[in-house]
Structure formats: C-alpha cells, structure tokens
Amino acid sequence: MTKKGKRKAGFASARVERLIRTAGAYRVSADATYRLNEILTDYATGLSKYAVDIAKHSGRKTVQEPDIKLAATK
Amino acid sequence: MTKKGKRKAGFASARVERLIRTAGAYRVSADATYRLNEILTDYATGLSKYAVDIAKHSGRKTVQEPDIKLAATK
C-alpha cells in the first residue's frame, strides 16, 4: 500500500529515494520512500506553521530566514 | 545570501516554498525557503542513515518502510 488515506506526501519521490540512497541504501522499497516523504511533509508543515506564527507575531507578512531558524529550535 | 558553503539543499525549492505557503504564509523570502530546504535535507539524511543501519542490522540490503518508521521514533 503506497498511498495512505488523507496523509500527503509533498516531495518528489525520486528526490526522497535519492536521499535514502545517498545515506548508503543498496535498495529502497517504494513504501519506504513514501513513508519518509510523509514524515518529511509532516515535519516541514509543522515547522512552517510555527514560522508563520513567528513572522505574524513580529508584525510581518513575509516569512524570513530567522523565522525558520527559530522555528527549527522548537 | 542564498547558497551557504557546503550545506546542501536536496529538494526542489518550489515545493518547499509551497509548503510554507500552505502553512499560511502570505509571502516567503528566498532565504527562508533555502533554510527550510537545508533543515529538511539534514533531517532526512540523518533519518535515512539510521534507517540504512537498521536494515543492515536486520540482514537486509533493502530499506523497507518499517526501517523508516523505526528510525523516525529515534
């Protein structure tokens, strides 16, 4: 099972697979790639939401690099 | 400054920017996108290396979904 309900994989699967291969994998299952894609998408979404809140809190409409940096320390 | 030395951004920047926008951003600076890309690449690389170790430890050459899942709990 590759697609799982409403969860969303936001990145190109070839990119995700390449990352796992670069990490030393000999072979990578499609499910593994999809699962990592989901995990990354969830992580990125959570971090982004926090960065958006930080930017708004600072009275800005633009998310800037320090917002991302601060969000990542959470 | 968008490119920063040897650190690598592994994803398509348009995808990363879209994720930040989906999280509610009105505008996103290029630096913010690049930084998130770097953070995600580092996170994915670390997780993948751990998943590769888990697969090898289990006597497999193929990284499978449960390896990614277990690696993500670390």
Side-chain angles (χ1 to χ4, degrees):
Chain A
M1 187 168 51
T2 304
K3 303 265 175 184
K4 278 175 197 93
K6 56 192 177 320
R7 299 194 72 190
K8 280 265 196 65
F11 299 102
S13 61
R15 293 260 185 172
V16 177
E17 189 181 323
R18 196 189 310 152
L19 262 163
I20 308 177
R21 286 189 190 281
T22 305
Y26 182 78
R27 249 189 261 114
V28 183
S29 84
D31 278 5
T33 302
Y34 191 79
R35 168 68 65 166
L36 181 57
N37 203 336
E38 275 185 343
I39 290 168
L40 288 175
T41 306
D42 281 354
Y43 177 75
T45 302
L47 200 153
S48 296
K49 278 181 183 160
Y50 191 46
V52 169
D53 287 346
I54 292 166
K56 282 181 183 161
H57 183 80
S58 308
R60 280 182 280 102
K61 285 187 166 186
T62 307
V63 174
Q64 293 175 346
E65 197 219 352
D67 303 324
I68 298 284
K69 233 166 133 177
L70 181 57
T73 63
K74 186 174 71 161
Chain B
M1 186 168 51
T2 304
K3 302 265 176 184
K4 279 177 194 93
K6 57 192 173 324
R7 299 194 75 190
K8 282 263 195 67
F11 299 101
S13 60
R15 293 259 185 171
V16 177
E17 191 183 321
R18 195 188 312 152
L19 261 161
I20 309 177
R21 286 189 191 282
T22 304
Y26 182 80
R27 249 189 261 114
V28 183
S29 83
D31 278 4
T33 302
Y34 191 78
R35 170 67 66 167
L36 181 57
N37 203 336
E38 275 185 343
I39 291 168
L40 289 175
T41 305
D42 281 354
Y43 177 75
T45 301
L47 200 153
S48 296
K49 278 182 182 160
Y50 191 46
V52 169
D53 287 346
I54 291 166
K56 282 181 182 161
H57 183 79
S58 308
R60 279 183 278 103
K61 284 187 166 185
T62 306
V63 174
Q64 293 175 347
E65 197 219 353
D67 303 325
I68 298 285
K69 233 166 133 177
L70 180 58
T73 63
K74 186 177 72 161

